[in-house]
Amino acid sequence: MEKYLSVSALSKYIKVKFDRDPYLQEVFIKGELSNYKRHSSGHHYFALKDNGAVIQAMMFNRDAAKLNFTPKEGDSVLVTGRISTYEARGNYQLYVNTMSLDGIGQLYEKFEQLKKAFQDKGYFNAEHKKPLPKYPKHIAVLTASTGAAIQDIRTTLNNRYPLAKVTYISTLVQGAGAKEDIIKNIQYADSIDADVMIVGRGGGSIEDLWAFNESVVVEAIYNANTPIISAVGHETDTTLADFVADFRAPTPTGAAVIATPDMKSLFEQITKARAFMDHKINTIYRNKTQQLTQLEHYYLFKNPYMLIEQKVQRIDELQQQMKYKVNAVMQSHQHNVQSIEQKLSPKVLRDVVHQQQRHVQHQQEQLNRSIKYLMSMKQSSFQSRLALLSSLSPTETLLRGYSITRHNDSIIHSIDQVDIGDEVEIELKDGTLATQVMHKK
């Protein structure tokens, strides 16, 4: 029994073989994603397949967090990793370390990155779109000089609107130097006073159309002053030029249709407008003719004097009223003059002068009486105040037998103001005595 191995032992032995094989520790594999699942733990489980085989694979969360794109079913990818076995199930699988899109997938990844970057900058916003002219005089067409695109545009423009001047600018639309040529020709078309610019080409793969996804081309379209119609590829093809352009056409023929009005439609509009104008002119002519006929039979025009007879009569009435008012004003002024003349007669003036003289004389007499009365009152008041002042005068006091004693020009009120031997002056009513203090009592 010892020669029999358990299933676990065999699985472990096989795993050790895989893990020790240096050729299986770092493998580079190209394949298509199939049955792709994301576990709640963050680990990714999927299969890689091609036309001949399928291998199970998984990617740990720590490595999946480094992906710069979102893997999805059917993506063609390039992966690196190691081959080992899962002992519990006894099958081998690929443990993926890195993953990137392969070829076309990388272009699509780059396309989405560029699209998001320009979208974040606002390059695709509607407020930056320039309106197309309704009736363009000059159209610039940037496309390859050969191929179906230029023939379709030329035919459509000639059929729809041959009135416009068209400048065809031969432009590289794919391959080396295409983006530089597109930018140069956009700037040239922007300088020749074109009303609208068509930039386009026929259909192709994403690699063929990639020049219209280049950042510098997107910048050139965004910065152009001339409205631009993008007509790159077929209707299912989409490039960044379509997003940044002012208008996107599904095909080059569609771009020619968007850029121009239809000549047949314009002829129909002109025909309808001419018919409408003829109808309006005829209607106005008929109405004016009827009005003229009515005016011709109007009674006033049969006897034109009726228009002025009442006016003449009204003028006579106004003249009469004016004469009456003038006479009334003149009479009023004459009455005022007579009244003034009466007031200014010599007799009236003498009476007025005599009356004013009597009034002045009366006022003068009244003023004299008032002055005398006031003088008398003031004199009585003066005498009264003079008597009061005399009664209080020191001279009057001296006349009654009193005297004033001074020492050093100061009146003595107390014996304490002088000493024995001081000389003092005694003022009497009729003179002054110089004395000396002999003693004090």
Side-chain angles (χ1 to χ4, degrees), residues 348-366:
V348 173
L349 290 175
R350 282 195 297 269
D351 293 341
V352 171
V353 170
H354 291 160
Q355 183 178 359
Q356 292 299 323
Q357 286 177 345
R358 287 194 297 272
H359 178 70
V360 169
Q361 186 178 1
H362 175 72
Q363 292 293 328
Q364 190 173 6
E365 292 175 352
Q366 187 174 4

Side-chain angles (χ1 to χ4, degrees), residues 243-408:
F243 290 107
V244 73
D246 300 296
F247 285 85
R248 190 239 173 173
T251 61
T253 300
V257 172
I258 293 173
T260 57
D262 185 9
M263 182 174 62
K264 295 179 181 179
S265 176
L266 290 178
F267 276 128
E268 291 177 0
Q269 294 178 22
I270 292 172
T271 302
K272 290 180 181 179
R274 181 181 288 116
F276 176 77
M277 291 174 62
D278 290 343
H279 174 72
K280 292 296 290 184
I281 290 172
N282 291 331
T283 301
I284 294 172
Y285 176 75
R286 286 195 300 270
N287 292 337
K288 295 301 181 182
T289 301
Q290 291 176 0
Q291 293 178 11
L292 182 59
T293 303
Q294 293 175 356
L295 291 173
E296 285 178 349
H297 295 86
Y298 192 55
Y299 74 97
L300 287 177
F301 290 130
K302 292 182 179 180
N303 186 8
Y305 289 106
M306 295 177 64
L307 292 171
I308 62 173
E309 286 174 350
Q310 292 191 7
K311 303 297 182 183
V312 172
Q313 185 177 354
R314 180 60 178 161
I315 290 173
D316 292 341
E317 291 178 354
L318 292 175
Q319 286 179 344
Q320 189 65 30
Q321 291 177 5
M322 187 171 63
K323 289 179 181 179
Y324 173 77
K325 289 189 175 294
V326 169
N327 291 333
V329 171
M330 290 296 294
Q331 290 178 3
S332 175
H333 286 313
Q334 288 177 356
H335 178 72
N336 291 336
V337 170
Q338 292 174 358
S339 176
I340 293 171
E341 287 178 348
Q342 291 176 359
K343 292 180 179 179
L344 293 178
S345 65
K347 182 178 180 305
V348 173
L349 290 175
R350 282 195 297 269
D351 293 341
V352 171
V353 170
H354 291 160
Q355 183 178 359
Q356 292 299 323
Q357 286 177 345
R358 287 194 297 272
H359 178 70
V360 169
Q361 186 178 1
H362 175 72
Q363 292 293 328
Q364 190 173 6
E365 292 175 352
Q366 187 174 4
L367 180 61
N368 290 335
R369 287 196 298 271
S370 297
I371 291 174
K372 289 180 180 180
Y373 175 76
L374 287 174
M375 289 295 292
S376 175
M377 293 295 294
K378 295 296 182 180
Q379 190 172 8
S380 298
S381 176
F382 177 73
Q383 292 295 336
S384 175
R385 291 176 183 275
L386 185 60
L388 179 60
L389 183 61
S390 297
S391 65
L392 297 176
S393 173
T395 304
E396 290 294 327
T397 303
L398 294 176
L399 291 174
R400 292 197 299 272
Y402 292 92
S403 65
I404 298 174
T405 305
R406 291 185 177 87
H407 175 63
N408 295 332

Side-chain angles (χ1 to χ4, degrees), residues 177-195:
K179 63 181 180 181
E180 291 82 2
D181 200 46
I182 294 171
I183 295 170
K184 180 191 69 173
N185 290 339
I186 287 175
Q187 294 172 349
Y188 171 71
D190 214 18
S191 67
I192 60 175
D193 295 328
D195 298 318

Side-chain angles (χ1 to χ4, degrees), residues 32 66 111 125 146 177 183 188 366 428:
E32 180 182 319
K66 301 175 184 177
F111 174 85
N125 293 352
T146 60
I183 295 170
Y188 171 71
Q366 187 174 4
L428 302 173

Side-chain angles (χ1 to χ4, degrees), residues 161-180:
Y161 198 64
L163 297 176
K165 173 186 175 183
V166 182
T167 300
Y168 294 95
I169 304 173
S170 179
T171 305
L172 291 175
V173 293
Q174 72 180 66
K179 63 181 180 181
E180 291 82 2

